[in-house]
Amino acid sequence: MAVQKVHSIGDRRRYLNATGDDVPKRKIVENSPILVSFKDYQEKLDSRYDKYERLMKCSRDMTIANKRIIFLLQRISGPVSRDQIFKEADAKFLEVKEMLKKIASELVDDDPYLFNRAFSPGIQEYIEALSFYFYLKYKSLISFEEVMETCTFSNTEANNLVLNPFDYILGIADLTGELMRLCINSAAKGDRNVSFEVCNFLRKLHNTFASLGSVSKDLSSKLKVMKASLKKVEAACYTVKVRGSEIPQFALADMLNSAVVDPVDY
């Protein structure tokens, strides 16, 4: 049989259509080792993606819950009783602990660092809220070991949540923004002692973070924000100390809040 010459794309398509039925089709062997292996890979990847999505959803829920705790704690400089606010915060932290248990249960028999990106934002927000609560109550910084204790749910190590130390550092870096708001609100309401305490605490915290250097892009960006927060706190303390007697109390809050510092300009 003579081979038909194909001169154009159209001729090639007509030739393939005409001879396609004559090409024998291979039968797929269902129990082929290669096919079985790829099906196993598919199941493992689908399971990993599903777990990643569940952890991301839990992280978002944790972020929302911890932001509510922070908003509640910021009211401590107001007329509401400190004990009442701490009591409400304790109840909300119990809800967050259930979310931590859920994350820990998802990571049983898995490497937690493999899924760290999925729940890291929620953990950082939790550390920010917990450290803010700890500072308001004890006037000191919560340690990494104390944070780890709140993620211990049983004597079995596999059932506990393993925290990434870097998430602790980034969470503490976010704490400076809340301390800056606490300083401004306290100074505006005439509580100068709190403002100067926060200023000294922020200086020590900033010096410690500056000694770490640019170990990551995330830490470098947070360090810039920390510098801006510290500068605004120092400006507020200067205003209260030097010009506090000249400015009426009702106008002091507007003056302090207007002294916004752009991190880029610092």
Side-chain angles (χ1 to χ4, degrees):
M1 179 180 177
V3 179
Q4 181 181 354
K5 293 184 178 180
V6 180
H7 300 286
S8 65
I9 296 178
D11 293 339
R12 180 177 175 81
R13 289 175 179 172
R14 285 192 293 271
Y15 173 75
L16 292 175
N17 292 334
T19 60
D21 296 336
D22 299 333
V23 178
K25 296 182 179 180
R26 289 188 177 182
K27 186 178 180 181
I28 298 177
V29 181
E30 295 293 338
N31 58 352
S32 169
I34 296 178
L35 189 60
V36 171
S37 297
F38 272 92
K39 284 185 177 179
D40 183 52
Y41 299 152
Q42 178 188 3
E43 292 176 359
K44 289 181 179 179
L45 286 175
D46 289 343
S47 176
R48 180 177 296 181
Y49 294 150
D50 291 342
K51 180 175 291 190
Y52 198 92
E53 290 297 327
R54 291 195 299 270
L55 289 171
M56 284 187 64
K57 182 181 183 304
C58 192
S59 176
R60 288 193 294 268
D61 294 339
M62 278 189 59
T63 300
I64 295 172
N66 285 297
K67 283 186 180 297
R68 289 173 178 169
I69 294 175
I70 292 173
F71 296 153
L72 172 65
L73 294 173
Q74 285 291 359
R75 294 164 48 198
I76 208 162
S77 58
V80 185
S81 169
R82 289 173 59 93
D83 294 336
Q84 179 63 28
I85 290 179
F86 285 138
K87 186 177 179 180
E88 293 180 21
D90 289 336
K92 292 182 180 295
F93 273 123
L94 292 177
E95 299 176 3
V96 175
K97 193 167 186 176
E98 293 300 320
M99 300 178 189
L100 292 171
K101 287 182 180 179
K102 187 176 180 181
I103 293 178
S105 64
E106 289 283 358
L107 297 174
V108 173
D109 299 329
D110 277 319
D111 184 2
Y113 293 97
L114 185 63
F115 299 94
N116 187 70
R117 282 288 182 181
F119 60 90
S120 178
I123 295 296
Q124 292 178 31
E125 196 71 30
Y126 167 67
I127 294 174
E128 178 185 357
L130 186 63
S131 59
F132 189 40
Y133 173 93
F134 196 88
Y135 175 81
L136 291 174
K137 203 167 188 178
Y138 304 108
K139 301 298 181 183
S140 62
L141 181 67
I142 190 170
S143 65
F144 178 72
E145 290 74 17
E146 289 170 322
V147 176
M148 282 292 296
E149 289 179 4
T150 65
C151 300
T152 303
F153 313 117
S154 65
N155 296 327
T156 306
E157 185 176 353
N159 296 329
N160 298 325
L161 180 61
V162 179
L163 292 183
N164 187 346
F166 200 65
D167 287 337
Y168 167 78
I169 294 176
L170 296 179
I172 296 300
D174 291 333
L175 168 66
T176 58
E178 302 306 324
L179 292 178
M180 181 267 293
R181 294 181 184 90
L182 175 66
C183 174
I184 300 301
N185 293 336
S186 300
K189 293 174 182 177
D191 194 349
R192 302 185 179 185
N193 292 333
V194 172
S195 301
F196 290 113
E197 287 176 0
V198 170
C199 184
N200 292 330
F201 183 80
L202 272 180
R203 283 173 176 167
K204 295 178 182 178
L205 203 59
H206 172 264
N207 292 338
T208 302
F209 271 85
S211 65
L212 297 176
S214 301
V215 296
S216 75
K217 182 179 179 181
D218 294 336
L219 186 59
S220 297
S221 62
K222 289 181 183 293
L223 186 59
K224 290 180 181 179
V225 178
M226 188 186 300
K227 288 180 180 179
S229 298
L230 176 59
K231 188 171 183 180
K232 185 174 182 181
V233 167
E234 289 176 337
C237 291
Y238 171 82
T239 302
V240 171
K241 184 72 174 178
V242 177
R243 302 187 58 193
S245 58
E246 305 172 3
I247 307 170
Q249 189 65 38
F250 69 88
L252 185 60
D254 294 335
M255 175 172 287
L256 293 176
N257 289 321
S258 63
V260 179
V261 178
D262 188 354
V264 179
D265 296 336
Y266 185 71

